Amino acid sequence: MVDQSITSLAKKLRAKDISSVELTQDYLARIKQLDGQLNSYITVSDEIGLAQAEAADKLIASGSTSALAGIPIAHKDLFCTDGILTTCASKMLHNFIPPYESTVTGRMQASGAITLGKTNMDEFAMGSSNENSHYGAVKNPWNLDKVPGGSSGGSAAAVAAGLCVAATGTDTGGSIRQPASFCGITGLKPTYGRVSRFGMIAYASSLDQAGPMARSAEDCAHILQSIAGFDANDSTCSEIATEDYTANLDAPLSGLSIGLPKEYFGDGLNNYVAKAIQDAVKEFEKLGATVKEISLPNLNLSIPSYYVIAPSEASSNLSRFDGVRYGYRCEDPKDLMDMYKRSRGEGFGKEVQKRIMVGTYALSEGYYDAYYLKAQRIRRLIKEDFVKAFEQVDVIMGPVAPTTAFGIGAKTDDPIAMYLEDIYTLSVNLAGVPAMSIPAGFADGMPVGLQIMGNYFSEAKLLNVAHKFQQATDWHTKNPSLAEGA
């Protein structure tokens, strides 16, 4: 079961070898059997999922050609789902059941996909380890003492352990790519604006982007085909036409030009991770690609820039959670101000409170120019670095993170070390370009992800590059022993 792709399952569903109801029941049973060890789900939607599966079987019987029809999918718990608890892994939204559907989940349901449930995450997507959840830390299925990465760690762990066929995630500074790397799966962050953010509870609005997490690039292509495209409900959503993301997956890579940023291979990169990346690049050379060294000179400025811009936007976005309209409200407030203070103080976790405070400070009078405005200027320089790089090469490659998955609790008392885990991913979000992580080997027994970055709206090319690598290697087919023994 855990080895089944969307394509292979779709064929079985159409051949009547298995029904969507049977498939959904199998995955629900696996969740019940294994998720007690992983804590990857916050909510499991048994009844809704089975009802959707019955409808999917009818859709397939009527001749539907949708690749996602009848396929059990999990959603990160910041996508609003009509009638299903949506918490953002926060006490603040512990009882919030949305009355509407996000564009991403709605489009997947329209394609016939089944919602198994909502996956655990760092609270309001703020974190790199999935330890900042009101519902407890998620465990990495390759080693239960390790983190799965964050903030989409629940989605990554569920896919890796075979608790869903694929999942949705969001990426604000690497939150699809880093957990995909840590858990040995494939994850794609599309170009900013390629996928609608409507119904996606915001962290940092100019950085957030939804994307697919699955075992392979081909599976990610099927999901992107369903969710990408203009949405009038999102003013930042691009009107540029989408492509057929599955049409050119098998195109040869002869003539592909790959850039390796020298800044990605300096001090701080684990030697075993570096070797896995270098070996992966050699595989691309065998496939006909050429490699050259390039420079992204402002990479070192991405962390300070990001950790001013993102908290500033979070400070604004999270001001709506005040205990008045929905969500958590403190008990027996003395007056309105007491209700505001205590509801927010009790409803938000420490990491969220910290980022709100940093963001409010950066936006305050007398500091806006010194911090926020300067960070935005640096962001422009980072974007220009990518523009210049893509004048020389077709894609950029490098590590996703400087290390493999680290131990649970290892970096919770050292926020600087935690933030440095995002050194290779943040610049992609600041620039708005697409990027993905694909399994590329192991180091110290844990998965290593190769990061592939592309020019704006080049998702089809990225998926083609990743797919050809996965046809030539088998890293993406490896399963953790937890999944194999189920």
Side-chain angles (χ1 to χ4, degrees):
M1 181 67 72
V2 296
D3 290 319
Q4 298 295 302
S5 67
I6 289 175
T7 301
S8 62
L9 286 173
K11 289 179 181 177
K12 291 183 177 182
L13 287 166
R14 284 170 180 74
K16 305 296 189 296
D17 293 336
I18 189 171
S19 71
S20 179
V21 169
E22 292 170 332
L23 188 60
T24 301
Q25 288 173 334
D26 285 347
Y27 275 97
L28 290 171
R30 283 182 63 82
I31 294 169
K32 186 175 182 179
Q33 177 188 2
L34 296 176
D35 200 47
Q37 301 175 65
L38 295 174
N39 195 32
S40 65
Y41 280 84
I42 291 174
T43 301
V44 180
S45 50
D46 304 57
E47 292 184 5
I48 291 175
L50 288 170
Q52 290 175 346
E54 289 182 8
D57 282 331
K58 294 178 182 177
L59 185 67
I60 293 168
S62 70
S64 169
T65 58
S66 169
L68 296 186
I71 303 296
I73 305 289
H75 295 297
K76 187 175 180 179
D77 201 25
L78 55 60
F79 291 99
C80 288
T81 41
D82 189 2
I84 303 175
L85 186 69
T86 301
T87 71
C88 249
S90 178
K91 184 178 180 180
M92 182 61 77
L93 292 175
H94 73 288
N95 60 356
F96 176 57
I97 299 177
Y100 69 100
E101 197 78 32
S102 74
T103 297
V104 165
T105 56
R107 286 179 174 175
M108 292 186 74
Q109 286 182 26
S111 297
I114 311 306
T115 301
L116 289 172
K118 309 296 285 295
T119 55
N120 206 344
M121 54 181 283
D122 282 304
E123 183 182 7
F124 283 100
M126 299 182 191
S128 303
S129 63
N130 220 140
E131 295 172 281
N132 299 325
S133 170
H134 174 62
Y135 299 94
V138 178
K139 313 292 178 62
N140 191 314
W142 290 92
N143 183 333
L144 297 178
D145 294 325
K146 304 278 190 179
V147 302
S151 63
S152 305
S155 290
V159 173
L163 304 190
C164 57
V165 180
T168 54
T170 64
D171 196 309
T172 306
S175 292
I176 285 175
R177 289 160 289 151
Q178 188 241 31
S181 175
F182 281 8
C183 291
I185 67 167
T186 302
L188 169 66
K189 183 210 89 72
T191 305
Y192 180 79
R194 179 71 296 172
V195 177
S196 172
R197 292 186 298 109
F198 178 75
M200 197 174 96
I201 298 171
Y203 164 21
S205 301
S206 75
L207 300 165
D208 297 343
Q209 186 59 199
M213 305 179 76
R215 293 183 61 82
S216 68
E218 183 179 24
D219 282 0
C220 285
H222 285 302
I223 296 174
L224 185 63
Q225 197 69 48
S226 172
I227 65 177
F230 177 68
D231 176 16
N233 290 319
D234 177 5
S235 62
T236 65
C237 198
S238 173
E239 294 188 50
I240 295 175
T242 59
E243 299 180 58
D244 183 340
Y245 297 110
T246 63
N248 295 310
L249 289 174
D250 290 317
L253 300 187
S254 54
L256 180 76
S257 175
I258 298 172
L260 299 182
K262 60 183 181 182
E263 293 82 5
Y264 278 49
F265 296 91
D267 295 338
L269 179 61
N270 177 281
N271 290 334
Y272 295 109
V273 172
K275 185 179 186 306
I277 300 304
Q278 290 161 357
D279 289 345
V281 171
K282 290 177 183 176
E283 192 66 43
F284 280 104
E285 290 182 298
K286 293 178 185 177
L287 294 170
T290 58
V291 178
K292 66 181 293 186
E293 183 179 85
I294 62 170
S295 178
L296 297 173
N298 291 297
L299 175 73
N300 65 318
L301 298 177
S302 59
I303 289 181
S305 176
Y306 175 90
Y307 282 104
V308 170
I309 294 171
S312 296
E313 295 185 10
S315 172
S316 176
N317 282 324
L318 271 62
S319 64
R320 72 194 69 177
F321 302 110
D322 52 14
V324 176
R325 290 154 290 189
Y326 54 86
Y328 177 79
R329 179 185 292 185
C330 69
E331 295 184 2
D332 302 319
K334 297 176 183 178
D335 52 33
L336 185 62
M337 188 56 67
D338 182 54
M339 186 192 73
Y340 284 152
K341 288 181 177 179
R342 285 177 50 210
S343 294
R344 289 172 66 79
E346 296 168 14
F348 290 133
K350 290 182 179 179
E351 184 65 24
V352 174
Q353 291 184 36
K354 179 172 66 177
R355 297 196 192 196
I356 289 174
M357 293 297 290
V358 168
T360 303
Y361 179 81
L363 292 175
S364 61
E365 186 177 1
Y367 296 98
Y368 178 89
D369 289 351
Y371 294 105
Y372 186 74
L373 188 58
K374 186 174 290 185
Q376 291 286 20
R377 287 171 176 164
I378 293 171
R379 182 179 189 172
R380 179 68 184 186
L381 295 177
I382 291 170
K383 178 179 179 179
E384 289 174 356
D385 284 348
F386 278 99
V387 170
K388 291 176 183 176
F390 287 121
E391 291 174 354
Q392 307 173 54
V393 296
D394 299 315
V395 297
I396 299 171
M397 293 186 184
V400 175
T403 66
T404 55
F406 47 88
I408 293 174
K411 300 189 178 185
T412 52
D413 295 328
D414 189 348
I416 300 301
M418 186 73 80
Y419 295 165
L420 285 171
E421 282 294 320
D422 299 329
I423 182 65
Y424 304 131
T425 57
L426 294 178
S427 57
V428 164
N429 298 79
L430 290 166
V433 297
M436 62 190 302
S437 172
I438 60 173
F442 288 81
D444 297 325
M446 296 300 291
V448 174
L450 170 71
Q451 184 171 200
I452 312 173
M453 294 153 273
N455 209 343
Y456 295 98
F457 301 101
S458 65
E459 287 83 6
K461 172 54 71 176
L462 289 184
L463 290 162
N464 161 230
V465 171
H467 179 67
K468 293 301 288 185
F469 179 82
Q470 291 179 339
Q471 285 185 317
T473 63
D474 64 354
W475 300 118
H476 65 294
T477 68
K478 306 295 185 183
N479 297 310
S481 57
L482 179 143
E484 292 282 16

